Amino acid sequence: MADLLGGKGANLAQMTRLGLPVPPGFTVTTAACREYLATGEDPGELAAQILGALAELERSIGRELGGRDGRAR
């Protein structure tokens, strides 16, 4: 899994699988990171996928990231 998610991403995924308390989030694949580093541009649908993942994260925690007071919506 480290090849896909990187070391930290793989460790977080494993901790989540084990039921340990890990804050909600998402991981960008190493392939997407490598493509960005090689070209300097977002690969394909990355921006749309990140926006979708952020929206889902906000929905799941009931808060708006970057909101003024950080309280639930």
Side-chain angles (χ1 to χ4, degrees):
M1 200 172 356
D3 288 344
L4 177 64
L5 303 176
K8 291 178 186 175
N11 288 337
L12 287 168
Q14 180 67 11
M15 289 187 287
T16 300
R17 243 177 32 126
L18 293 171
L20 297 173
V22 176
F26 60 92
T27 304
V28 176
T29 66
T30 56
C33 292
R34 286 186 185 119
E35 187 173 334
Y36 176 78
L37 290 173
T39 65
E41 296 181 11
D42 291 345
E45 295 291 317
L46 181 62
Q49 290 173 355
I50 288 175
L51 289 175
L54 285 171
E56 177 58 32
L57 178 61
E58 289 176 332
R59 231 181 338 273
S60 74
I61 63 174
R63 297 180 185 273
E64 184 177 316
L65 298 173
R68 293 187 72 167
D69 56 14
R71 290 186 282 193
R73 289 186 256 165

